[in-house]
């Protein structure tokens, strides 16, 4: 599939939205640092720790090396996660119209595009289900030995 100027402009706009949402979410690390610095026994001691914690939490890596203890910090992380994942999802929906393996035309409505995404997710769920069954079988088989 060739990328024309209109598609490239759309991708640039969506990339900007995603980047801006991530920058905004990382600005949440400052109030998290302030809140956590007032909690005794908090693991977040520096602004760098707060930035690292926000990054690891928002990207859902979650190493577990740092944790939030203040309730408002936890709420801020949830909001940051919603901002970043929501912008990313909107960007995927906007760009995916013509990029799902060439199966979707640009004339499709938003509802049709969402239906295609839903079907793709159902297929992925089926693959994950089959992998889970295979892993369960292997676990039972390994326990016998």
């Amino acid at each position: 599939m060739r990328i024309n100027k209109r598609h490239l402009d759309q991708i640039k706009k969506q990339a900007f939205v995603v980047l801006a949402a991530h920058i905004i979410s990382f600005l949440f690390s400052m109030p998290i640092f302030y809140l956590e610095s007032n909690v005794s026994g908090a693991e977040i001691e520096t602004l760098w720790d707060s930035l690292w914690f926000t990054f690891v939490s928002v990207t859902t890596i979650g190493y577990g090396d740092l944790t939030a203890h203040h309730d408002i910090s936890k709420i801020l992380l949830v909001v940051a996660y919603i901002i970043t994942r929501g912008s990313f999802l909107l960007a995927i929906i906007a760009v995916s119209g013509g990029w799902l393996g060439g199966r979707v035309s640009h004339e499709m409505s938003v509802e049709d595009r969402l239906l295609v995404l839903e079907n793709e997710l159902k297929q992925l769920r089926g693959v994950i289900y089959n992998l889970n069954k295979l892993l369960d079988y292997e676990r039972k088989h390994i326990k016998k030995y």
Side-chain angles (χ1 to χ4, degrees):
M1 168 185 238
R2 285 190 62 152
I3 300 176
N4 61 28
K5 182 166 176 37
R6 190 183 97 216
H7 289 123
L8 192 57
D9 289 340
Q10 184 182 20
I11 291 169
K12 285 179 183 178
K13 287 177 187 175
Q14 296 303 323
F16 177 76
V17 168
V18 171
L19 179 65
H22 280 80
I23 290 171
I24 290 168
S25 73
F26 290 125
L27 291 177
F28 282 39
S29 63
M30 288 182 266
I32 289 172
F33 167 65
Y34 175 76
L35 291 166
E36 292 296 316
S37 64
N38 294 329
V39 175
S40 63
E43 300 163 351
I44 299 172
E45 299 172 349
T46 65
L47 187 57
W48 173 249
D49 286 344
S50 180
L51 185 63
W52 172 252
F53 174 66
T54 305
F55 171 76
V56 169
S57 298
V58 167
T59 57
T60 67
I61 296 172
Y63 289 119
D65 56 343
L66 300 172
T67 56
H69 294 285
H70 200 283
D71 290 337
I72 296 176
S73 296
K74 295 174 186 177
I75 292 169
L76 287 173
L77 282 171
V78 169
V79 171
Y81 177 82
I82 290 170
I83 289 171
T84 55
R85 294 305 135 212
S87 67
F88 190 68
L89 179 63
L90 290 175
I92 287 174
I93 289 171
V95 175
S96 67
W99 288 54
L100 289 176
R103 293 180 280 183
V104 180
S105 70
H106 295 288
E107 290 78 29
M108 292 180 74
S109 68
V110 173
E111 292 82 13
D112 291 335
R113 291 178 186 183
L114 288 173
L115 185 62
V116 170
L117 285 172
E118 181 182 356
N119 288 333
E120 294 285 338
L121 289 173
K122 284 180 182 177
Q123 289 177 0
L124 181 60
R125 188 182 315 140
V127 170
I128 292 171
Y129 175 77
N130 289 334
L131 285 173
N132 193 22
K133 297 231 358 145
L134 180 64
L135 284 172
D136 286 342
Y137 173 77
E138 291 297 327
R139 276 189 219 121
K140 290 176 185 175
H141 187 68
I142 289 172
K143 286 184 181 178
K144 289 181 182 178
Y145 295 106

